């Protein structure tokens, strides 16, 4: 196996993280009220914190630094004043706790809510993409964006952004108070801080680029894991566990190396910002200490300055951490927005045309269809394909592998759009009908039957969720599935495991047939619908399918010609073209490709 390739997404310049994170605005907009409340609580907590140094200055200058007073009355007054100061500090602490708790709840709620909305939007967008999207996009890549990338976004929205705003308010407030109380000293400090910003911008851009690369490498590991775990029986049957583990290890080491480079640069950024800022502020504190010794300011003023400096240094340290988180989240947001910006090659018509009602099956018409798969643009899957199918007719498509049989189904279901020609269902071009109406008229039984990790009951009524249990049981009996379902531990309520691992191949196929019978569409598509059945089950199920074909149009793909001998018409394909058609007897009599295939199978 080869590693699934990641999609070639458009490259983006190293723009500011805020611009990248602006893609989250549509997800934040519905919660403007809660955001406003969170900001209110955030400002309240910041103001309560900034009020502490001012209260501390008053405590020192008025409550403590009074010298010794022999008058007992004055001493008592000071004790009362001291208690009032401490009560004021306690009140600030309570306000800080209340505001902080309210802010924490609001921003955490926002982070969880926005992340859930974002995941749902990305998933809903992906499941509407045409199969052509998944030809170039690995499933593991999509899963990585749904999990790892959205988790990074949740960290920013639900924690880091709020923490950053709170510390920005506190830092700016502390800086403003320092400038007001010590204008000369803080002018020098600000000049030094400007020099800190310039290297930070350079380091920040590198962290952001490395964060994007780190997420891409993590997606590579997810792609390998998804591919191998979905094919674990093949891996183990060829004894390739060690090889696949080694391949995953190489990808994981690549992700680690990229993360290591990102962490190294981010650590240098954090260390530089904190060290430079702390050094600049220590210079300001040294100047303040000199002023106290010279009698220019009071001890309480110095204490206030010390606390403001601590708040400012602490805010800068937190902001440097938050900046790193924002850089990582900016890369993750870019990847998510790129995925949301992807447009399916199959689009809904702007004004869908209604399909007419039918009673005896649908009519199908292919008019000069030319189609090349996007992954094979130089090789025609169908070439000048013309086919008319009457209502209620059973038509079999036969031919060698690669002849274009499955392509007919994929175009009819509009998984792809033909480059030339058109396809009509009941007289309506399929690209003019809504996708839901179009596909509601069909039911397909694929060769590789899909079983979901839910109960047998829910699997059968997947295409008709409102069906009653009696209808489900009738469809299961018609598909020769009722007996083995009832033999399961909980009957129709039995959980079938991921991809139906608790069932045999033949049982999964009969379940898929029951699903199609229950849907009861005017057009039935059978792609080797009995290929996984034993001879006895095939005979019973074939009889059930023939009963289900009554009063509806049926298209059958078959390699075993014995299953299509009684079809109304057999269409022989080779290299994307119709080379012959007729009944089994007519085609055998004419010789050609069908006669050779029939001779090989029936003689064997």
């Amino acid at each position: 196996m080869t590693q699934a390739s990641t999609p070639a997404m458009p490259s983006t310049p190293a723009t500011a993280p805020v611009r990248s994170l602006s893609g989250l605005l549509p997800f934040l907009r519905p919660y403007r009220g809660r955001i406003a409340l969170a900001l209110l609580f955030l400002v309240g907590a910041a103001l309560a914190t900034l009020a502490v140094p001012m209260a501390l200055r008053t405590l020192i200058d008025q409550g403590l630094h009074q010298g010794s007073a022999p008058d007992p009355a004055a001493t008592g007054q000071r004790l009362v004043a001291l208690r009032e100061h401490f009560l004021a500090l306690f009140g600030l602490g309570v306000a800080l706790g209340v505001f902080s708790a309210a802010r924490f709840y609001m921003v955490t709620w926002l982070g969880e809510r926005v992340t859930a909305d974002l995941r749902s939007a990305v998933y809903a967008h992906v499941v509407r993409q045409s199969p052509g999207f998944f030809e170039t996009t690995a499933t593991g890549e999509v899963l990585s964006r749904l999990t790892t990338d959205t988790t990074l976004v949740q960290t920013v929205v639900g924690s880091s952004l709020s923490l950053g705003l709170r510390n920005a308010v506190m830092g700016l407030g502390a800086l403003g108070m320092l400038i007001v109380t010590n204008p000369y000293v803080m002018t020098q400090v600000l000049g030094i801080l400007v020099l800190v910003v310039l290297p930070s911008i350079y380091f920040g851009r590198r962290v952001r680029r490395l964060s994007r690369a780190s997420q891409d490498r993590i997606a590579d590991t997810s792609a390998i894991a998804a591919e191998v775990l979905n094919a674990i029986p093949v891996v183990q049957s060829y004894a390739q566990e060690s090889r696949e583990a080694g391949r995953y290890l190489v990808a994981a080491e690549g992700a680690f190396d990229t993360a290591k480079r990102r962490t190294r640069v981010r650590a240098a950024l954090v260390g530089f910002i904190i060290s430079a800022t702390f050094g600049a502020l220590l210079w300001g504190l040294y100047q303040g200490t000199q002023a106290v010794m010279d009698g220019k300011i009071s001890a309480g003023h110095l204490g206030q300055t010390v606390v403001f400096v601590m708040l400012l240094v602490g805010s800068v340290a937190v902001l440097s951490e938050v900046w790193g988180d924002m850089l990582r989240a900016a890369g993750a947001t870019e990847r998510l927005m790129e995925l949301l910006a992807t447009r399916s090659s199959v689009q809904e018509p702007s004004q869908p045309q209604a399909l007419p009602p039918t009673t005896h099956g649908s009519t199908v018409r292919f008019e000069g269809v030319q189609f090349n798969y996007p992954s094979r643009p130089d090789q025609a899957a169908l070439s000048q394909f013309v086919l008319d199918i009457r209502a209620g007719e059973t038509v079999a498509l036969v031919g060698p592998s690669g002849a274009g049989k499955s392509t007919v189904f994929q175009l009819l279901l509009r998984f792809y759009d033909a480059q030339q020609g058109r396809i009509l269902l009941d007289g309506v071009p399929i690209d003019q009908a809504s996708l839901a109406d179009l596909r509601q008229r069909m039911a397909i039984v694929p060769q590789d039957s899909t079983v979901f990790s839910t109960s047998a009951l829910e699997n059968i009524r997947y295409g008709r969720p409102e069906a009653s249990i009696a209808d489900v049981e009738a469809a299961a009996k018609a598909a020769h599935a009722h007996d083995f379902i009832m033999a399961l531990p909980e009957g129709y309520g039995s959980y079938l495991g991921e991809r139906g691992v608790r069932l045999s191949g033949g049982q999964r196929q009969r379940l898929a047939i029951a699903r199609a019978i229950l849907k009861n569409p005017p057009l039935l598509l059978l792609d080797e619908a009995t290929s996984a059945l034993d001879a006895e089950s095939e005979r019973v199920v074939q009889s059930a399918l023939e009963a289900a074909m009554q009063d509806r149009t049926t298209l059958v793909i078959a390699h075993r010609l014995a299953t299509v001998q009684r079809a109304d018409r057999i269409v022989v394909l080779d290299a994307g073209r119709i080379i012959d058609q007729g009944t089994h007897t007519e085609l055998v009599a004419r010789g050609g490709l069908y006669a050779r295939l029939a001779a090989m199978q029936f003689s064997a």
Side-chain angles (χ1 to χ4, degrees):
M1 285 183 290
T2 58
Q3 181 174 340
S5 61
T6 53
M9 295 294 184
S11 60
T12 55
T15 55
V18 174
R19 188 180 306 171
S20 299
L21 291 171
S22 64
L24 299 175
L25 288 177
F27 298 93
L28 291 167
R29 200 168 288 123
Y31 311 109
R32 291 187 292 268
R34 287 182 176 269
I35 292 173
L37 279 175
L39 289 174
L40 180 63
F41 296 140
L42 181 150
V43 171
L47 292 178
T49 304
L50 291 172
V52 171
M54 300 169 65
L56 184 63
R57 175 182 177 178
T58 305
L59 172 66
I60 294 174
D61 287 343
Q62 299 181 13
L64 294 176
H65 194 62
Q66 293 276 344
S68 59
D71 186 358
T75 302
Q77 291 176 356
R78 286 174 52 205
L79 288 174
V80 172
L82 189 64
R83 284 197 294 268
E84 290 177 351
H85 289 309
F86 274 103
L87 284 173
L89 282 171
F90 177 72
L92 286 175
V94 171
L96 177 61
V98 170
F99 284 128
S100 297
R103 175 193 61 83
F104 173 79
Y105 173 79
M106 294 302 297
V107 298
T108 303
W109 186 94
L110 282 169
E112 297 287 350
R113 179 70 268 170
V114 169
T115 303
D117 292 347
L118 183 59
R119 282 180 179 145
S120 298
V122 172
Y123 184 77
H125 184 74
V126 168
V127 296
R128 287 177 172 84
Q129 298 300 306
S130 69
F133 171 82
F134 297 97
E135 287 187 20
T136 56
T137 307
T139 303
E141 167 76 11
V142 176
L143 294 176
S144 173
R145 299 192 185 199
L146 279 171
T147 53
T148 309
D149 289 358
T150 52
T151 300
L152 286 175
V153 172
Q154 178 183 352
T155 300
V156 168
V157 177
S159 175
S160 298
L161 190 57
S162 166
L163 200 61
L165 289 173
R166 176 175 175 271
N167 281 275
V169 172
M170 283 200 311
L172 289 174
L175 184 61
M177 292 302 298
L178 287 170
I179 292 174
V180 170
T181 55
N182 298 280
Y184 174 73
V185 173
M186 288 311 300
T187 301
Q188 301 176 47
V189 172
L190 284 176
I192 299 173
L193 290 178
V194 170
L195 300 178
V196 176
V197 173
L198 299 178
S200 301
I201 295 174
Y202 168 74
F203 279 115
R205 288 179 176 175
R206 288 197 61 193
V207 169
R208 182 166 169 269
R209 287 194 297 268
L210 289 170
S211 296
R212 173 64 188 263
S214 178
Q215 293 304 111
D216 288 338
R217 301 292 74 76
I218 292 173
D220 290 342
T221 62
S222 298
I224 293 174
E227 179 187 34
V228 172
L229 293 177
N230 283 329
I232 201 69
V234 176
V235 173
Q236 293 181 350
S237 65
Y238 281 88
Q240 292 299 309
E241 297 93 334
S242 298
R243 179 189 174 191
E244 294 301 339
R247 193 160 66 100
Y248 186 87
L249 177 63
V250 170
E253 287 298 318
F256 171 73
D257 290 340
T258 306
K260 186 169 62 177
R261 292 197 301 272
R262 169 182 54 79
T263 305
R264 188 184 300 124
V265 175
R266 183 175 172 183
L269 173 64
V270 171
F272 172 76
I273 291 176
I274 293 177
S275 300
T277 304
F278 195 74
L281 293 174
L282 277 179
W283 167 254
L285 188 59
Y286 170 74
Q287 296 286 351
T289 305
Q290 293 279 33
V292 172
M293 295 175 65
D294 294 339
K296 295 179 180 179
I297 61 174
S298 67
H301 192 161
L302 178 62
Q304 173 184 275
T305 301
V306 169
V307 177
F308 275 132
V309 167
M310 292 174 62
L311 288 176
L312 182 55
V313 172
S315 297
V316 171
V318 172
L319 285 172
S320 65
E321 290 285 339
V322 169
W323 184 246
D325 289 339
M326 289 184 66
L327 291 171
R328 292 191 67 195
T333 303
E334 283 179 0
R335 285 160 46 90
L336 290 167
M337 293 305 112
E338 286 169 358
L339 195 55
L340 283 173
T342 304
R343 290 292 170 261
S344 174
S345 59
V346 175
Q347 293 292 318
E348 290 273 7
S350 56
Q351 294 182 334
Q353 186 175 343
L355 292 169
T358 62
T359 55
H360 300 289
S362 293
T363 62
V364 179
R365 180 178 176 85
F366 288 79
E367 296 181 347
V369 171
Q370 182 82 24
F371 175 69
N372 299 49
Y373 282 100
S375 57
R376 304 188 295 274
D378 299 327
Q379 180 181 352
L382 290 180
S383 181
Q384 296 304 310
F385 190 84
V386 177
L387 180 63
D388 277 312
I389 301 172
R390 299 182 300 274
E393 187 178 16
T394 297
V395 175
L397 304 177
V398 302
S401 297
K405 304 183 295 297
S406 296
T407 302
V408 172
F409 281 17
Q410 300 213 47
L411 291 179
L412 192 54
L413 286 160
R414 210 175 163 223
F415 291 159
Y416 301 89
D417 282 333
Q419 284 85 24
Q420 295 179 24
R422 62 177 188 164
I423 305 170
L424 294 91
L425 180 68
D426 295 318
V428 177
I430 62 173
D431 59 352
Q432 298 302 313
S434 75
L435 290 172
D437 288 348
L438 173 71
R439 293 167 183 170
Q440 194 62 35
R441 294 229 163 172
M442 309 177 202
I444 185 169
V445 180
Q447 182 175 359
D448 185 13
S449 301
T450 299
V451 176
F452 298 97
S453 55
T454 183
S455 67
L457 177 68
E458 294 305 319
N459 263 286
I460 294 175
R461 63 181 178 191
Y462 188 76
R464 193 177 142 202
E466 73 285 357
S468 66
I469 295 179
D471 290 338
V472 171
E473 290 182 354
K477 289 175 181 177
H480 199 55
H482 178 75
D483 291 342
F484 82 76
I485 292 175
M486 293 305 297
L488 296 173
E490 298 178 32
Y492 282 86
S494 298
Y495 174 72
L496 303 181
E498 186 177 5
R499 293 180 288 116
V501 294
R502 297 184 180 182
L503 302 179
S504 68
Q507 289 172 333
R508 288 196 296 270
Q509 205 153 32
R510 278 179 276 173
L511 208 66
I513 293 169
R515 182 188 299 156
I517 292 174
L518 180 65
K519 188 177 180 182
N520 194 28
L523 179 57
L524 187 61
L525 307 177
L526 306 177
D527 186 357
E528 289 288 335
T530 60
S531 62
L533 302 180
D534 55 75
E536 182 180 355
S537 296
E538 181 180 18
R539 177 176 53 81
V540 176
V541 173
Q542 190 68 34
S543 175
L545 286 173
E546 288 174 1
M549 293 174 190
Q550 299 299 319
D551 292 328
R552 65 172 46 87
T553 306
T554 307
L555 273 174
V556 183
I557 293 176
H559 288 102
R560 289 192 286 186
L561 303 183
T563 62
V564 297
Q565 289 185 61
R566 287 182 285 182
D568 297 324
R569 186 161 35 124
I570 298 173
V571 177
V572 186
L573 282 76
D574 190 21
R577 296 177 181 272
I578 296 177
I579 60 172
D580 206 352
Q581 55 183 308
T583 65
H584 171 76
T585 304
E586 292 170 347
L587 292 172
V588 170
R590 281 202 293 266
L593 177 60
Y594 182 85
R596 293 198 300 272
L597 292 174
M600 285 189 294
Q601 289 193 22
F602 296 137
S603 63

